[in-house]
Amino acid sequence: MDLSVKLPGLNLKNPIIPASGCFAYGREFSQLYDLSLLGGLCIKSVTMEPRAGNPTPRIAETPSGMLNAIGLQNKGADFVCRMELPFLEQFDTEVIANVAGATEEEYVQVIKMLNDCDVIKAYELNISCPNVAHGGMGLGTTPELAAHITKLAKEAAAKPVYVKLSPNVTDIVSIAKAVEEAGADGLVLINTLMGLSVNLKTGKPLLANNTGGLSGPALKPIALRMVWQVAQAVNIPIIGVGGISSAEDVLEFLNCGASAVEIGAANFADPYICPKIIEDLPKVLEKYRYSSLEEAIGKAFK
Amino acid sequence: MKEQNAIILSNTLIARDVWKMELKTEIADLARPGQFVEIAVPGFFLRRPISVSDTGKGVLTIVYKVMGNGTDVMTGMHPGEELNLLGPLGQGFPVLEDKEAVLLLGGGVGVPPLLKTAKEYLAKGKKVDVALGFNNAADVFYLDAFEQLGIEPAVATMDGSAGVKGTVLDAVAARGIETAFVMACGPLPMLKAINQKYTDGYISLESRMGCGIGVCMGCIVHDAKGTALRVCKNGPVFPIGRVVF
């Protein structure tokens, strides 16, 4: 079965994309399997300035998932451009750059620098990271703020812009619509849900950052609900993400209106999860009597 | 590195809350001393990083302490059952040809990886001394494993209920071991003390991990220049003095 999906700037041979922050820049996973198997891959968030990230502990396991508070650790756009991205040129897969910053200006600076990197096919605007004091989620939790930064990003970008939205809001549909109106080429739904875990030995929050982003299977029903709501309200494509760890999960997201999906924390539990899902997906589509990927998209509300 | 279902051959209590498990897996023959495996415990999302204690003829030995629900589930597993492993992972203890003698320092569940390390140094004809620290006599394990190699470990317990009273360094002093080249694994206060006393050797760090393969940046420590190091990928074994505590 043909699994290919055409989205703005992205010719995906299949709808499977490892999510930002769960795949670094591909080097480690390239030692496990051929990255050309992937529809695309989304690199770890890039900021203009290097960021050291948060103190440890940064990770806590939770029922059916995990909390993380890495804090956008990265060596900055210049380093990523020169030292990380050239490695990805050898693979036949579509690379998406996740862009973050402490200020609106920083997002624009990163985009301008990455415009010249041919290996990058599209941007994913991270206005939904819950683990940083400035920027991140703070820029994406009202329709006005989200639209404003989307507009700035679109003006700066020489490539399509997908906006990754936060679930830590009361009305994701209004934000999605505002972002669409501001010119976004697509949406990525959803980032992690802000959570907390307590260390019973100390009685204090387990993570040094106190709060962290919840990912893993625990997030899936929330992500599906949000994709389903937003897909009925916008006309731009949606990349679904949140708790996916099987081809059946992928099909659920397609049914709710996603055109492609990102795989996040499942890469930690099983580093071979993406090729496994790619292999299983045609069988699962056939099992549920779809003759194409397209046919499955949005069935939940059509 | 492989991802593989290993077959449990044995799973036995060897000290208070400390269990030894033998697993049949091809990973055994790939593992170097001080490396670790990531264990998928059924019902839990993240894998558990556990150090390789010993290997031989396709059998991997691990020793784990019951720290939470995941390791508690492991205690209920029986021979014949399968456990999914990923490994071997990380940088282990190097086996250096130019050293005549090595002192292995272990604290609590930091002791297990020193067994395979001892075997490899003995196989190279080196002098191997071992000093082990525990909280209490009920926590002591693996003396017999080292004795089978012809090594009599110097032992210390914090309450003096076995060996000398005090830390592993008190055991070293009591035995009069003067070897300057050390390899150590144990709790952070112990590693800090070793970091101050010795300049030549290696320490193995423990950390909460997300991925175990160098991707997620969950287990970061820093060197003196502030460079981020991943315990899972750049470690868990680091040269003494490299990591800032």
Side-chain angles (χ1 to χ4, degrees):
Chain A
M1 190 183 297
D2 179 19
L3 295 179
S4 67
V5 184
K6 252 181 129 58
L7 298 178
L10 303 170
N11 285 315
L12 308 172
K13 66 178 71 144
N14 62 60
I16 307 302
I17 305 167
S20 181
C22 301
F23 214 71
Y25 307 96
R27 270 181 219 277
E28 293 79 9
F29 280 93
S30 74
Q31 291 167 12
L32 305 187
Y33 59 84
D34 180 3
L35 302 188
S36 298
L37 289 170
L38 299 167
L41 71 86
C42 190
I43 62 168
K44 182 163 176 60
S45 293
V46 187
T47 53
M48 198 64 202
E49 301 302 324
R51 292 183 76 118
N54 290 324
T56 54
R58 295 175 170 185
I59 299 273
E61 189 180 52
T62 58
S64 293
M66 61 178 283
L67 293 172
N68 89 80
I70 307 299
L72 302 183
Q73 180 184 333
N74 79 102
K75 292 181 176 172
D78 181 56
F79 181 92
V80 171
C81 268
R82 285 186 298 109
M83 306 304 288
E84 301 287 4
L85 295 178
F87 173 77
L88 291 171
E89 285 168 8
Q90 63 187 297
F91 302 107
D92 176 25
T93 190
E94 303 285 79
V95 180
I96 303 166
N98 181 297
V99 175
T103 61
E104 291 178 336
E105 293 71 42
E106 190 174 358
Y107 283 79
V108 169
Q109 286 176 324
V110 173
I111 288 172
K112 284 184 173 163
M113 175 163 277
L114 295 181
N115 275 341
D116 294 331
C117 294
D118 290 339
V119 69
I120 301 291
K121 295 295 185 288
Y123 299 115
E124 177 177 278
L125 209 59
N126 181 0
I127 53 169
S128 42
C129 176
N131 298 325
V132 289
H134 302 286
M137 195 174 89
L139 295 172
T141 46
T142 73
E144 294 75 25
L145 283 169
H148 187 244
I149 194 157
T150 302
K151 198 160 166 288
L152 293 176
K154 275 299 288 179
E155 282 166 11
K159 299 160 194 189
V161 174
Y162 292 75
V163 182
K164 188 170 185 180
L165 299 185
S166 171
N168 303 296
V169 296
T170 44
D171 181 10
I172 197 163
V173 173
S174 63
I175 295 171
K177 286 166 89 166
V179 164
E180 179 184 33
E181 199 158 311
D185 296 282
L187 297 168
V188 181
L189 300 175
I190 56 178
N191 206 316
T192 55
L193 194 62
M194 199 197 272
L196 186 144
S197 187
V198 173
N199 179 347
L200 290 177
K201 284 180 191 155
T202 61
K204 308 281 188 207
L206 194 153
L207 296 176
N209 189 54
N210 297 327
T211 59
L214 176 67
S215 58
L219 196 63
K220 197 183 80 173
I222 298 162
L224 284 169
R225 184 263 294 179
M226 289 185 160
V227 169
W228 175 80
Q229 281 182 314
V230 170
Q232 296 175 73
V234 301
N235 293 306
I236 50 176
I238 296 170
I239 299 174
V241 50
I244 298 172
S245 55
S246 68
E248 284 82 358
D249 292 344
V250 175
L251 181 52
E252 284 195 72
F253 274 84
L254 296 174
N255 285 159
C256 286
S259 300
V261 295
E262 292 183 3
I263 316 291
N267 286 295
F268 303 160
D270 178 358
Y272 297 94
I273 195 69
C274 287
K276 283 178 187 169
I277 290 175
I278 291 164
E279 197 187 324
D280 288 347
L281 189 55
K283 296 174 215 161
V284 169
L285 287 168
E286 276 163 28
K287 180 181 170 188
Y288 292 97
R289 303 182 185 284
Y290 294 102
S291 52
S292 71
L293 193 80
E294 188 67 33
E295 216 179 289
I297 297 173
K299 195 172 178 208
F301 52 83
K302 278 177 187 164
Chain B
M1 194 201 84
K2 278 179 190 288
E3 182 227 356
Q4 203 175 58
N5 282 341
I7 299 163
I8 297 170
L9 300 175
S10 71
N11 190 20
T12 47
L13 185 71
I14 57 170
R16 181 166 60 187
D17 293 334
V18 176
W19 293 66
K20 179 172 116 172
M21 184 185 273
E22 292 174 305
L23 297 138
K24 188 168 164 46
T25 168
E26 288 166 26
I27 292 168
D29 298 328
L30 304 173
R32 305 289 308 136
Q35 286 192 297
F36 68 98
V37 291
E38 282 254 78
I39 300 181
V41 182
F44 294 87
F45 185 65
L46 292 175
R47 290 171 180 264
R48 268 69 186 156
I50 296 184
S51 67
V52 171
S53 175
D54 198 8
T55 62
K57 294 182 189 149
V59 177
L60 178 79
T61 303
I62 58 168
V63 172
Y64 61 95
K65 186 172 184 182
V66 180
M67 301 293 284
N69 296 330
T71 37
D72 193 41
V73 165
M74 284 174 66
T75 66
M77 296 183 151
H78 300 101
E81 292 176 5
E82 292 190 349
L83 204 50
N84 186 270
L85 303 186
L86 183 70
L89 300 168
Q91 310 299 319
F93 287 112
V95 181
L96 301 180
E97 298 284 350
D98 62 336
K99 301 291 180 185
E100 287 310 309
V102 62
L103 169 58
L104 305 179
L105 303 168
V109 276
V111 170
L114 301 180
L115 184 62
K116 184 170 169 62
T117 312
K119 282 187 178 178
E120 302 236 347
Y121 270 91
L122 287 174
K124 298 274 181 198
K126 312 295 184 187
K127 180 173 183 288
V128 180
D129 281 301
V130 175
L132 309 178
F134 301 92
N135 279 322
N136 174 276
D139 303 315
V140 177
F141 66 93
Y142 256 22
L143 298 187
D144 55 342
F146 285 104
E147 281 160 8
Q148 280 172 22
L149 304 178
I151 300 166
E152 194 196 333
V155 175
T157 51
M158 295 309 285
D159 64 0
S161 53
V164 301
K165 186 171 191 295
T167 70
V168 68
L169 291 179
D170 295 312
V172 171
R175 182 70 68 86
I177 302 168
E178 290 182 348
T179 304
F181 178 60
V182 301
M183 303 219 170
C185 186
L188 209 51
M190 171 189 143
L191 296 180
K192 280 183 183 170
I194 288 165
N195 224 23
Q196 286 182 349
K197 176 164 179 176
Y198 294 95
T199 54
D200 188 16
Y202 294 82
I203 56 168
S204 181
L205 298 183
E206 195 176 38
S207 180
R208 282 176 179 274
M209 291 180 189
C211 67
I213 59 172
V215 167
C216 76
M217 304 296 153
C219 61
I220 294 300
V221 291
H222 293 92
D223 69 10
K225 289 181 198 156
T227 306
L229 303 166
R230 298 162 293 180
V231 172
C232 70
K233 185 82 175 174
N234 306 112
V237 172
F238 293 96
I240 282 182
R242 177 95 196 268
V243 175
V244 176
F245 291 108

